[in-house]
Amino acid sequence: MENNNILDLDLSDELQLNEAVRTNLKKAFKWGRVLAIMLFIFFGFMVLFYFKLLTADTRQAGSSVQTLITIILLTFTVCVFFSALNLLGFANRGMVSLESNNNKVFSICIESLKGYLKFYGIFLSIITIFFVISFFSMIAVFF
């Protein structure tokens, strides 16, 4: 009788994947790299917009509103930068792990993906909470 328990497998340092999985992973890593580059470009546009906002004449807006907008934009800009950095690390480590058949590098790559997805989960949860609070505030003010 065969025992298919994962604990009984011999885990070596060599990464063993069939060709279909390698092809799909290479595509995923390439798309991850493209998305990371696009996020870095988006980050650059956000920084340019932020500096334009700082130099604009904002006498009409109150200082507290401008401060709140500044804090929100800075927070969002930092989040975009670190998510792009994490995604680029995932894509680069993934490509290296496939080229070198290194199981340890692949493991680090998957940890980067876990961190990236965890970051976006927390980030989207915070944004959802913000929208729910805004929605109920709007209902309380207008109705």
Side-chain angles (χ1 to χ4, degrees), residues 42-126:
F42 183 63
F43 169 75
F45 282 134
M46 288 178 68
V47 169
L48 289 175
F49 175 74
Y50 177 69
F51 282 122
K52 179 65 176 166
L53 186 68
L54 283 179
T55 59
D57 187 19
T58 56
R59 281 185 236 143
Q60 292 89 5
S63 63
S64 62
V65 172
Q66 185 177 2
T67 304
L68 180 64
I69 290 172
T70 301
I71 290 171
I72 290 171
L73 282 176
L74 277 175
T75 304
F76 189 68
T77 303
V78 168
C79 289
V80 166
F81 175 76
F82 283 112
S83 68
L85 193 63
N86 203 353
L87 184 59
L88 186 65
F90 160 72
N92 288 339
R93 287 182 188 108
M95 290 300 281
V96 167
S97 69
L98 287 181
E99 291 169 359
S100 65
N101 284 334
N102 193 333
N103 198 22
K104 291 178 183 176
V105 176
F106 188 73
S107 176
I108 294 170
C109 165
I110 296 301
E111 286 178 22
S112 294
L113 178 62
K114 180 192 80 165
Y116 177 76
L117 295 174
K118 184 178 179 181
F119 171 79
Y120 260 110
I122 292 169
F123 184 68
L124 289 177
S125 298
I126 291 170

Side-chain angles (χ1 to χ4, degrees), residues 14-44:
E14 185 178 330
L15 185 61
Q16 297 175 354
L17 301 170
N18 65 23
E19 199 56 39
V21 172
R22 282 185 174 282
T23 303
N24 289 329
L25 281 174
K26 281 184 183 179
K27 287 179 186 178
F29 296 144
K30 286 179 183 179
W31 276 109
R33 189 176 292 159
V34 167
L35 289 174
I37 291 169
M38 290 174 67
L39 280 172
F40 279 123
I41 291 170
F42 183 63
F43 169 75

